[in-house]
Amino acid sequence: MNYEEIKITIQAALQLSTIQYRNETRVAFEVWAFRTAQIQNALLEEITRSEAIWNWYQNQYRKIEQRFYKENRDFLTGGFNPMEVFQVFRWMTKEIEDYYPATLINKLNNGQTVSK
């Protein structure tokens, strides 16, 4: 199954529209960015405006989506409670909060542009 099909399957299991799902992804990014800014002593606005960091985060998120699908396929198509499925999914996406792209963050801290 390709990535787009996986994403659609997850969205359907969570009973979220495309916009709602995108917003959930962005909220997770903002939480990650806030935590990273605190830990790395960086400006939150610089992190959230960086296209390179957003792309890095989306790549990490995709990996979680794919793993979530692989490990929970039966729950996604079995008519389980969407809130329970969402809790498992959100728990897995929180794993990203322990990682950050050190090189990109260091560039921000040194005043370099990391928009691409």
Side-chain angles (χ1 to χ4, degrees), residues 8-16 75-77 80-83 85:
I8 289 168
T9 302
I10 293 170
Q11 277 180 235
L14 300 176
Q15 295 183 350
L16 297 174
F75 295 109
L76 299 176
T77 57
F80 288 87
N81 181 328
M83 287 306 296
V85 176

Side-chain angles (χ1 to χ4, degrees), residues 14-73:
L14 300 176
Q15 295 183 350
L16 297 174
S17 69
T18 301
I19 291 172
Q20 290 170 320
Y21 189 76
R22 171 69 180 207
N23 286 340
E24 288 295 336
T25 303
R26 188 63 191 199
V27 166
F29 171 72
E30 296 291 335
V31 168
W32 170 87
F34 181 75
R35 178 182 162 123
T36 300
Q38 288 182 315
I39 292 169
Q40 296 302 309
N41 196 32
L43 284 172
L44 177 60
E45 61 194 37
E46 292 292 329
I47 291 174
T48 58
R49 282 192 272 178
S50 169
E51 184 179 329
I53 291 175
W54 171 241
N55 289 338
W56 174 88
Y57 185 86
Q58 286 184 302
N59 186 48
Q60 301 308 306
Y61 202 88
R62 280 187 200 104
K63 290 176 186 176
I64 296 292
E65 288 171 319
Q66 291 167 339
R67 196 177 98 225
F68 176 73
Y69 175 81
K70 183 178 178 182
E71 293 176 8
N72 298 285
R73 192 173 322 178

